[in-house]
Amino acid sequence: MNSYHTIAFDADDTLWVNEPYFRQAEEQFCGLLEDYLSHHRVGQELFKIEMQNLDLYGYGVKAFMLSMIETILEVTEGNAPIQLIEKAIAIGKEQLQKPIELLDDIEEVLAKLSQKYRLIVATKGDLLDQERKLTNSGLSKYFHHVEVMSNKKEANYEKLLRQIDCPAEQFLMIGNSLKSDILPVLNLGGHAIHVPYHTTWVHEEIDHQIEHSNFREVKKIRTILDFL
Amino acid sequence: MNSYHTIAFDADDTLWVNEPYFRQAEEQFCGLLEDYLSHHRVGQELFKIEMQNLDLYGYGVKAFMLSMIETILEVTEGNAPIQLIEKAIAIGKEQLQKPIELLDDIEEVLAKLSQKYRLIVATKGDLLDQERKLTNSGLSKYFHHVEVMSNKKEANYEKLLRQIDCPAEQFLMIGNSLKSDILPVLNLGGHAIHVPYHTTWVHEEIDHQIEHSNFREVKKIRTILDFL
């Protein structure tokens, strides 16, 4: 397993903590609307509206902010005090300014692998936000290239591979989302390593196991140093 | 002037109409708040808030939507009927779904140049929105690469040149913004052609003339075929 041209890392919940911050923000947001609906139901409404907006807004915190605001309008049937909007914006702005918390061992893993492979970041989300997070993470120096993708479907990976001039069979993707980091890459003939994270957005979940000769799963990221 | 490795085109107001749609959206938005403040003053408030948010939100329609919402909160001092928020969101969503209107002669120019040069798009703004606009424009086939940049400063162009492996002196940028498309490229030793558009966002304006041996200005895009 040592002939990779490029190893790509997902960013959120692979390099650093992300989803728990979203959960925390969602909790805070649901609290704003508890006079109208239970936490659980507000969460469902928010998710529904996020999914409705996904094609138009894409991923990332700004999209999340706009969906929170639309959820307020919907849940309160237009009768919310406008201060709720202000609070939702504050929740989003706080999220955009969270400090970066690296996942365990990630810096050591990148430092070692970057001596042997060309490493890139392949992440989806908000362009500016992801660039800022990478800068603040102090990890930029390990990466040859950073690709912020509008989505992580097969077509997006095909474009990425063309751009970095890498044959699929020499491409290894490492990430926490089976749906976004693993399946599309395997389908294109690439390799993938799944490093599960304890918290996963329901939108990223899939309902089946993966068995594939180009695939493996590791519990801890540092395990990959044993075979890379 | 025929040794360019890559010719990059700005997108908004270089390939297709953009700023007039923003002006129209702003006009509509200012109308929402006319009970509170004159159109002109609302426009000033909106611009002030957009500038305050620029580092955090970056460019693009979602950032504009969030700034409209914050302007409502500020101008009405938290006393707006919440329906105004709904209307601001509708203005933004409409803008994200505008049909693409190509600028005069642009397709002919791209068709001809793409036979002789490697063409790319270098645009700033919202990742998903810019990708969608390019797809809807029908112009994708002329471009070797599309780069959506979080900003268009020298550092961003340096990164782009590294990525496309192009020496600055063989790079030609074509666009409507002296500030974003021309000055940073000239400063790096590249070439630039300014094609002014009749409407320019005040944030993109500069207060001096440019004279530089690597620079020229053309009134109409098709003129560049005379010397490229």
Side-chain angles (χ1 to χ4, degrees), chain A residues 53 55-58 62 65 70 73 78 80 82-83 93 97 127-128 131-132 145 148 150 159 163, chain B residues 53 55-58 62 65 70 73 78 80 82-83 93 127-128 131-132 145 148-150 159 163:
Chain A
N53 284 332
D55 283 348
L56 199 57
Y57 293 161
K62 283 181 298 197
M65 291 171 77
E70 290 176 55
L73 296 170
I82 200 157
Q83 284 67 26
K93 284 192 168 179
Q97 296 173 89
L127 182 59
L128 180 66
E131 286 184 358
R132 178 170 39 220
H145 175 71
V148 183
S150 57
K159 208 174 111 190
Q163 193 191 316
Chain B
N53 284 333
D55 282 348
L56 199 58
Y57 292 161
K62 284 181 297 198
M65 291 171 76
E70 290 177 55
L73 296 170
I82 201 157
Q83 285 65 27
K93 284 192 168 180
L127 182 59
L128 180 66
E131 287 183 358
R132 177 171 39 220
H145 175 72
V148 182
M149 302 154 83
S150 57
K159 207 175 112 190
Q163 192 190 318

Side-chain angles (χ1 to χ4, degrees), chain B residues 141-159:
Chain B
K141 58 181 178 283
Y142 302 115
F143 295 104
H144 180 268
H145 175 72
V146 178
E147 187 68 19
V148 182
M149 302 154 83
S150 57
N151 209 335
K152 280 182 152 179
K153 299 194 170 176
E154 278 177 51
N156 307 91
Y157 281 104
E158 279 181 306
K159 207 175 112 190

Side-chain angles (χ1 to χ4, degrees), chain B residues 10-117:
Chain B
D10 170 52
D12 291 338
D13 302 317
T14 298
L15 302 179
W16 51 66
V17 174
N18 178 65
E19 190 56 28
Y21 290 154
F22 265 98
R23 291 291 165 98
Q24 216 177 310
E26 266 171 39
E27 265 308 297
Q28 271 180 279
F29 175 70
C30 292
L32 295 182
L33 290 169
E34 63 192 358
D35 289 349
Y36 299 87
L37 219 55
S38 70
H39 272 230
H40 180 67
R41 287 280 308 286
V42 175
Q44 285 178 326
E45 277 302 306
L46 175 61
F47 183 70
K48 188 191 81 189
I49 288 173
E50 285 183 278
M51 290 304 105
Q52 284 167 0
N53 284 333
L54 195 55
D55 282 348
L56 199 58
Y57 292 161
Y59 295 93
V61 178
K62 284 181 297 198
F64 176 66
M65 291 171 76
L66 289 167
S67 288
M68 281 195 288
I69 292 167
E70 290 177 55
T71 303
I72 293 173
L73 296 170
E74 180 136 335
V75 166
T76 67
E77 292 170 348
N79 291 312
I82 201 157
Q83 285 65 27
L84 289 186
I85 306 286
E86 207 159 359
K87 287 178 181 164
I89 290 175
I91 290 172
K93 284 192 168 180
E94 194 193 328
Q95 215 179 341
L96 283 169
Q97 295 172 91
K98 286 270 188 213
I100 293 294
E101 192 182 333
L102 296 184
L103 295 194
D104 285 349
D105 301 326
I106 196 74
E107 180 140 22
E108 187 194 339
V109 167
L110 294 175
K112 290 201 169 146
L113 290 182
S114 66
Q115 293 167 18
K116 294 167 68 182
Y117 301 96

